[in-house]
Amino acid sequence: MDTTSDQNHTGQNRERRGILAAGARIAAGVALASAVTAILPHAALAGALPKGTMVEKSALTLGFVPLTDCAPLVAAKEMGFFADEGLDVTLSREPSWANIRDKVSVGILDGAQMLAGIPLAANAGIGAFNVPMVAPLVLDLGGNAITLSRTLIQRMDAADPAAMAERPLSARALKRVIEADRAAGAPRLTFGVVFSVASHAYQLRYWLAEAGIDPDADVRLVVIPPPDMVTSLQLGAIDGFCVGEPWNSLAAATGIGRIAITSHDLWANAPEKVLGVTADWAARHPATLAALIRALLRAGRWLDQPDNRRVAAALLSDPRYVGAPASVLDAALTGALTGTGARNDDFVVFHRYAAGFPWHSHAVWTLAQMVRWGQVPFGTDLAAIAAATHRTDLYRTAAATLDEPLPLADTKVDGTHDTPWTLTDATAPIAMGPDRFLDGQPFDPADVAGYLNRFAITRHRPVPDPTA
């Protein structure tokens, strides 16, 4: 995986060397992740912290990257949900995910909006710091897309018109373009991702590989901070990108690019960002963490009321937050993305479908991608890392006072629902959304080997079938 510069971050080549060394450190990483669970308080597992419990720290600084899905933090501050919980929160706009990871790790930030892969990677022993982290709350489902340059779209239209008429759009026409470039001795196409362990990187790899394109051999993947994606595409530094909104909508609205496929088409209602804090911080501030979770859950509930989406777009348009035009943010928040056809109300979800619940199975899926692409060795105890990171007990403790229906299990099989369904294994039935994958195959967290063995393009070594 190649890279461009990522502000205040070591180069991707150095990160790749760290990934290649992960095998030697992974056992320590699993032990570290298991220790996270032991560090945190479990006295409150039987119920919520007593109402009115004083927070240990009221003045907090939380980091975010300017994206539509920082909306829960912005709404919690601007609509008074943090204040209602006795919290005085300063929001710190950060230029990149490396900044978020590093500042949370060393304590400059109390916590942050975070890529789901960052705390998982830290607990698996991957990366520069490897400070134990927890993610007790998911901030949103969905909200990403893959956008391609107008020139590349035109080449794909000419190469395979039939494939370009498919919906969801496959990458088959792109494969034809790549093959033509290879025959002509042209340089590989370059695509931007926001971080090597980001859902965006795995979604782009998934889309490419599903069409027979090897994302490591056939194209170049480079790391670019989200706000720089559109400019990089306009300047021709990249041929496409996978990023969260509103940067896809901005590229489409200005005619710089075209949205090819959304994350909803790749994995409907997939988990996206999380609230991330270090395990040590969580252990020292249990009441504060519970207050944070409650405030953000209330913000998510507010955001999922349709009339509030336009208000949220206006809030996010402030240069202190995202700074994109309110019209572009409104399109991103309502799922009315330019050039994608009909509006999709489930493009980004903040509260419904038990959106905030940190399923262990969702964490295992992300970790399975790390295995597939050679970042984590096959055979690593993914379930242990998932349980130590996605702290469902902390979520339940905080949410118990909000009259929230709570899932009773920590895992579920995804990819088996094409239509809305009801989760009955809960304190009260929960309406859930579709969870289908692009390839139509389910993901069972109890059978990661079987899942990984399906793929022809993979960096892990497939496990022989003992019954064959």
Side-chain angles (χ1 to χ4, degrees):
M1 185 184 295
D2 300 312
T3 184
T4 60
S5 62
D6 188 4
Q7 296 179 33
N8 297 319
H9 179 44
T10 55
Q12 183 71 3
N13 289 335
R14 186 180 302 173
E15 183 176 2
R16 178 136 181 105
R17 289 195 295 272
I19 288 170
L20 293 174
R25 306 196 313 266
I26 202 70
V30 173
L32 187 74
S34 299
V36 172
T37 305
I39 290 173
L40 294 175
H42 288 263
L45 295 189
L49 291 168
K51 191 171 181 61
T53 300
M54 294 292 293
V55 297
E56 299 85 3
K57 183 179 183 181
S58 59
L60 305 175
T61 302
L62 302 178
F64 72 95
V65 169
L67 292 157
T68 304
D69 55 19
C70 73
L73 280 75
V74 174
K77 180 174 177 64
E78 298 292 346
M79 303 310 296
F81 300 123
F82 283 141
D84 286 350
E85 295 289 343
L87 302 174
D88 178 14
V89 172
T90 298
L91 297 181
S92 177
R93 175 174 164 146
E94 301 295 334
S96 71
W97 293 114
N99 277 54
I100 291 284
R101 178 200 61 191
D102 297 353
K103 288 187 175 182
V104 171
S105 295
V106 301
I108 296 174
L109 296 172
D110 292 288
Q113 168 209 28
M114 198 173 281
L115 295 167
I118 288 178
L120 291 167
N123 291 345
I126 296 175
F129 283 91
N130 302 334
V131 174
M133 292 187 181
V134 298
L137 175 70
V138 175
L139 294 176
D140 65 311
L141 308 178
N144 299 337
I146 296 171
T147 295
L148 306 178
S149 72
R150 294 177 65 186
T151 299
L152 181 54
I153 287 288
Q154 291 168 358
R155 294 187 66 196
M156 292 165 63
D157 282 335
D160 195 333
M164 291 299 286
E166 295 177 357
R167 293 296 179 272
L169 182 67
S170 79
R172 287 196 297 112
L174 178 58
K175 182 174 173 62
R176 293 279 189 92
V177 171
I178 290 170
E179 290 170 344
D181 284 350
R182 184 183 297 115
R188 289 179 293 168
L189 297 171
T190 301
F191 296 91
V193 296
V194 303
F195 209 61
S196 64
V197 296
S199 59
H200 318 69
Y202 301 133
Q203 289 166 2
L204 178 61
R205 285 171 170 272
Y206 175 42
W207 186 63
L208 295 171
E210 195 61 22
I213 300 168
D214 189 319
D216 292 315
D218 297 333
V219 299
R220 296 176 64 241
L221 301 185
V222 299
V223 170
I224 300 173
D228 297 338
M229 287 290 191
V230 177
T231 300
S232 297
L233 190 67
Q234 184 177 27
L235 294 176
I238 55 176
D239 300 287
F241 54 69
C242 185
V243 73
E245 281 291 279
W247 307 116
N248 300 282
S249 289
L250 187 62
T254 55
I256 294 170
R258 177 178 139 188
I259 297 173
I261 188 170
T262 70
S263 56
H264 189 81
D265 293 319
L266 296 166
W267 179 11
N269 295 302
E272 188 44 41
K273 306 302 188 301
V274 298
L275 170 66
V277 300
T278 66
D280 176 70
W281 192 97
R284 289 185 292 108
H285 306 94
T288 306
L289 182 56
L292 268 178
I293 293 170
R294 285 193 299 270
L296 290 168
L297 278 170
R298 293 174 64 200
R301 183 188 293 170
W302 181 85
L303 285 163
D304 267 6
Q305 297 175 27
D307 292 345
N308 292 336
R309 292 290 177 107
R310 184 157 293 178
V311 178
L315 291 174
L316 292 174
S317 68
D318 189 309
R320 293 174 300 159
Y321 300 132
V322 179
S327 59
V328 172
L329 288 158
D330 184 66
L333 284 166
T334 59
L337 306 185
T338 301
T340 60
R343 167 175 165 166
N344 179 4
D345 291 334
D346 280 354
F347 172 69
V348 60
V349 174
F350 295 102
H351 182 262
R352 61 184 181 274
Y353 310 152
F357 189 73
W359 293 97
H360 292 182
S361 43
H362 285 171
V364 172
W365 185 88
T366 299
L367 290 162
Q369 309 315 302
M370 296 180 189
V371 174
R372 180 182 181 185
W373 300 114
Q375 297 168 314
V376 168
F378 183 81
T380 298
D381 190 345
L382 306 186
I385 297 171
T389 309
H390 279 207
R391 288 295 302 275
T392 55
D393 57 307
L394 298 179
Y395 176 94
R396 291 188 179 103
T397 295
T401 61
L402 294 181
D403 194 28
E404 291 280 332
L406 302 174
L408 296 176
D410 292 335
T411 67
K412 62 186 178 75
V413 176
D414 279 283
T416 60
H417 303 96
D418 291 330
T419 57
W421 59 288
T422 300
L423 177 70
T424 57
D425 190 13
T427 56
I430 301 175
M432 302 291 284
D435 57 16
R436 67 184 178 279
F437 288 92
L438 179 67
D439 60 8
Q441 298 296 316
F443 173 71
D444 184 348
D447 186 21
V448 173
Y451 168 79
L452 292 173
N453 285 348
R454 293 187 208 138
F455 300 114
I457 299 176
T458 179
R459 302 282 87 84
H460 94 289
R461 181 177 299 174
V463 179
D465 184 349
T467 64

